[in-house]
């Protein structure tokens, strides 16, 4: 039986979790047990107004700290996160069902963004540009864009927060975060550690809400909020993109994906199977970058399917707090119903389930491999966001590229080949922001993360991630 008490969370974090002006809270349910195990503050428009006031006031002082001061606070925040890896991971695992070993990995990944941007804070260089007249001196400097509103998803309750917050804070911006209502608690732990590290409370604020609309509308309409950053569905991203026009906010969008995984005839099948497992079944297939369509060269098709099915059969589905669990539950009924509907649609269209294909219990869906997929099936046209691996085949390299690019999305794509020339050729031809070349898990803090086409705008991570929070200012000096 899962232990769902929150005694392992510091009392100060628990106090932050439920604090709202009205005193209203909403229930947080464990997807593994279906039990309510905690409550979160139910914030509304008045909290959003107050947060914007505080973010604007704090921006005046935070922006004028030196990069070295900000870097020191970020570095302390990073160290504190590492000291609190276990309780943060446990909280995350409880609220969204991520297997505990993956949750520990996510906390380290999340802390990695803080470490990276603590260092990058000191590297916001300006430039001088040659003048067009003898008395002109031209300078370009970079300044923080201003208070930021961030909306983060439930699938990575720590890493998607720090991937946005760390560069914003490093640049000198203040930050208001609205985490997802399904997994609202981890963000409060991060806010607590930020304050423990010496960060001003007004620089990093969390607003949780059962109904996110009043909070989001208030902040989207506020002229003082100069940037919106969102990770989530393409549908909501497009709405925010349109709304941001009224106040001309800068925007970063990290949206849906529909990642192809191409396995060429020269691939090492065992290694390819391992990389597909990493990509497809991480977080029970609930990532924007997970392989959604696995295309295998016809010469390997049957052998690959057999070995993948064997490997998938060994993935242990179960209690996320058990260290041996490899695949946890889906986030909620809506998520489960979508996965069920995709599998049922494929079967109705003539596809064959090699392994899995059923609900195990509650929100747990068996890790699944399906063959006989047709391009019109829902698994091929929508993001499944579940532990389902559809297998297809191709004959030629050109066909593989065409099939991979035949989607409105362009976040991540994967290929497995031992032919160096092909590797470069195909990687260059894929219309995607992230390419995993013989690598099912390319994410890491120091690289750009983001997509082409309907997968979003802008990049997070690495030096590119910092630029998203900086304005460019040109200063012309005339000598007299
Ligand atoms: C996501 O699924 O949105 C993030 C995955 C990652 O950072 O690797």
């Amino acid at each position: 039986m899962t232990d769902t008490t929150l005694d392992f969370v510091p009392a100060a974090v628990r106090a932050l979790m439920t604090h709202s002006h009205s005193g209203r809270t909403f229930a947080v349910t464990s997807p593994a047990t279906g039990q309510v195990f905690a409550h979160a503050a139910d914030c509304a428009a008045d909290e959003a107004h107050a947060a914007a006031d505080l973010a604007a006031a704090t921006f005046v002082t935070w922006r004028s700290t030196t990069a070295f001061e900000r870097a020191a606070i970020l570095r302390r925040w990073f160290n504190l996160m590492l000291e609190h890896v276990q309780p943060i991971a446990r909280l995350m695992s409880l609220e969204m069902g991520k297997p505990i070993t993956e949750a520990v990995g996510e906390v380290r990944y999340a802390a990695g963004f803080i470490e990276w941007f603590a260092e990058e804070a000191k590297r916001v260089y300006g430039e001088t540009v040659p003048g067009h007249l003898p008395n002109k001196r031209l300078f370009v400097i970079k300044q923080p864009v201003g208070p930021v509103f961030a909306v983060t998803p439930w699938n990575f309750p720590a890493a998607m927060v720090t991937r946005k917050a760390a560069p914003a804070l490093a640049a000198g911006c203040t930050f208001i975060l609205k985490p997802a209502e399904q997994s609202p608690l981890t963000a409060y732990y991060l806010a607590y550690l930020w304050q423990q590290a010496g960060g001003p409370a007004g620089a990093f604020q969390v607003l949780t809400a059962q109904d996110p609309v009043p909070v989001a509308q208030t902040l989207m309409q506020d002229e003082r909020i100069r940037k919106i950053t969102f990770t989530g569905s393409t549908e909501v991203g497009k709405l925010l993109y349109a709304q941001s026009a009224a106040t001309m906010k800068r925007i970063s969008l990290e949206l849906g994906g529909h990642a192809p995984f191409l396995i060429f005839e020269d691939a090492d099948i065992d290694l390819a199977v391992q990389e597909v497992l990493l990509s497809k079944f991480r977080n029970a297939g609930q990532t924007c970058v997970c392989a959604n369509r696995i295309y295998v060269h016809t010469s390997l098709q049957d052998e690959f399917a057999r070995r993948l099915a064997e490997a998938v059969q060994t993935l242990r589905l179960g209690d996320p707090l058990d260290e041996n669990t490899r695949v946890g539950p889906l986030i909620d009924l809506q998520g489960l119903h979508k996965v069920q509907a995709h599998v049922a649609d494929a079967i109705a269209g003539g596809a064959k389930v090699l392994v899995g294909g059923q609900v195990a219990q509650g929100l747990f869906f068996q890790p699944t491999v399906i063959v006989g997929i047709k391009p019109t099936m829902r698994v091929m046209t929508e993001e499944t966001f579940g532990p389902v691996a559809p297998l297809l085949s191709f004959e030629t390299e050109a066909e593989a590229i065409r099939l991979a690019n035949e989607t409105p999305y362009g976040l991540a794509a994967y290929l497995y080949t031992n032919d160096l020339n092909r590797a470069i050729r195909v990687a260059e031809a894929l219309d995607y922001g992230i390419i995993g070349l013989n690598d099912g898990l390319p994410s890491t803090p120091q690289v750009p993360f983001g997509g082409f086409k309907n997968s979003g705008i802008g990049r997070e991570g690495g030096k590119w991630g910092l630029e998203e929070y900086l304005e460019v200012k040109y200063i012309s000096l005339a000598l007299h």
Side-chain angles (χ1 to χ4, degrees):
M1 187 65 194
T2 307
D3 173 11
T4 54
T5 68
L6 286 190
D7 292 349
F8 64 93
V9 174
V13 179
R14 280 183 274 146
L16 275 181
M17 280 176 185
T18 49
H19 181 77
S20 69
H21 289 176
S22 64
R24 269 197 319 270
T25 58
F26 63 96
V28 185
T29 306
S30 153
T33 63
Q35 305 291 313
V36 172
F37 71 96
H39 288 80
D42 193 8
C43 299
D46 56 338
E47 277 97 353
H49 275 301
D53 290 346
L54 183 58
T58 309
F59 180 58
V60 177
T61 47
W62 183 245
R63 70 177 302 179
S64 48
T65 53
T66 65
F68 286 81
E69 288 170 282
R70 294 196 295 277
I73 295 174
L74 283 158
R75 166 60 64 172
R76 287 199 292 274
W77 193 22
F78 161 71
N79 287 332
L80 283 169
M81 272 194 70
L82 293 188
E83 283 170 29
H84 289 250
V85 167
Q86 294 301 333
I88 301 172
R90 187 175 174 83
L91 182 60
M92 186 192 302
S93 186
L94 279 173
E95 66 176 344
M96 62 79 52
K98 184 168 298 210
I100 191 72
T101 46
E102 266 192 57
V104 166
E106 181 184 336
V107 182
R108 293 190 196 287
Y109 178 43
F113 287 103
I114 302 176
E115 180 187 41
W116 173 265
F117 287 108
E119 291 161 0
E120 283 299 284
K122 295 176 273 184
R123 300 190 181 96
V124 179
Y125 301 117
E127 286 174 79
T128 59
V129 181
H132 49 295
L133 293 171
N135 71 328
K136 291 275 193 166
R137 301 292 181 271
L138 314 181
F139 308 104
V140 179
I141 63 167
K142 290 188 181 166
Q143 294 184 305
V145 72
V148 173
F149 174 40
V151 180
T152 52
W154 50 263
N155 60 345
F156 286 85
M160 296 307 100
V161 173
T162 58
R163 189 153 77 189
K164 297 176 189 305
L169 294 164
C173 298
T174 51
F175 192 82
I176 303 173
L177 168 68
K178 207 249 4 113
E181 44 283 14
Q182 295 94 328
S183 60
L185 304 177
T186 302
Y188 284 111
Y189 210 135
L190 303 187
Y192 162 74
L193 294 181
W194 165 254
Q195 289 174 35
Q196 292 296 300
F204 181 51
Q205 302 179 74
V206 179
L207 297 178
T208 48
Q210 187 162 29
D211 174 8
V213 174
V215 166
Q217 266 176 359
T218 305
L219 294 171
M220 288 305 289
Q221 286 163 9
D222 195 312
E223 293 275 358
R224 295 169 299 174
I225 305 296
R226 298 311 317 142
K227 159 109 192 171
I228 160 86
T229 170
F230 170 73
T231 295
S233 70
T234 297
E235 191 190 352
V236 176
K238 286 185 176 177
L239 210 67
L240 292 172
Y241 196 10
Q243 286 175 8
S244 66
T247 51
M248 206 53 90
K249 294 188 201 318
R250 291 264 302 270
I251 189 156
S252 301
L253 298 171
E254 198 270 276
L255 308 177
H258 194 29
F261 200 128
L262 311 177
I263 294 150
F264 286 94
E265 59 269 37
D266 51 60
D268 177 317
I269 297 191
D270 287 328
L271 293 179
V273 164
Q274 286 316 311
E275 297 303 325
V276 168
L277 286 186
L278 283 176
S279 169
K280 178 68 254 183
F281 296 97
R282 175 182 178 217
N283 209 18
Q286 301 172 110
T287 80
C288 311
V289 288
C290 71
N292 271 295
R293 308 170 279 146
I294 301 156
Y295 296 96
V296 187
H297 189 265
T298 40
S299 63
L300 304 182
Q301 190 181 359
D302 293 341
E303 181 65 3
F304 184 86
R306 190 180 62 73
R307 291 212 221 165
L308 181 67
E310 270 170 22
V312 168
Q313 192 106 51
T314 67
L315 296 177
R316 186 156 155 185
L317 184 72
D319 179 356
L321 293 177
D322 181 336
E323 298 214 330
N324 296 314
T325 292
R326 179 69 173 75
V327 180
L330 295 167
I331 188 67
D332 54 21
L333 268 181
Q334 204 188 335
L336 180 75
H337 288 159
K338 187 175 187 193
V339 173
Q340 284 178 298
H342 279 201
V343 172
D345 171 73
I347 294 170
K352 184 170 165 233
V353 172
L354 292 189
V355 56
Q358 304 282 334
V359 176
Q361 65 165 83
L363 297 176
F364 292 84
F365 196 88
Q366 295 170 335
T368 297
V369 179
I370 315 184
V371 293
I373 300 293
K374 300 192 182 79
T376 49
M377 290 175 176
R378 288 186 68 187
V379 281
M380 294 300 292
T381 55
E382 296 170 36
E383 209 178 1
T384 303
F385 239 61
V388 178
L391 298 188
L392 300 103
S393 63
F394 64 90
E395 289 279 1
T396 66
E397 185 181 304
E399 184 192 6
I401 293 168
R402 180 179 58 74
L403 292 168
N405 285 340
E406 241 171 29
T407 167
Y409 297 101
L411 185 57
Y414 304 84
L415 65 144
Y416 210 106
T417 176
N418 281 324
D419 176 337
L420 180 61
N421 294 314
R422 164 174 284 151
I424 298 298
R425 235 177 9 243
V426 177
E428 287 179 356
L430 292 171
D431 296 332
Y432 289 82
I434 301 164
I435 305 292
L437 177 45
N438 298 352
D439 184 1
L441 209 53
S443 302
T444 179
Q446 66 275 27
V447 300
F449 188 103
F452 292 10
K453 303 192 282 188
N454 276 267
S455 290
I457 293 174
R459 293 293 180 272
E460 297 187 316
K463 62 177 183 170
W464 304 268
L466 194 60
E467 293 296 330
E468 301 278 332
Y469 297 93
L470 292 167
E471 284 286 14
V472 173
K473 185 179 279 178
Y474 157 54
I475 302 171
S476 175
L477 168 68
L479 301 180
H480 295 288

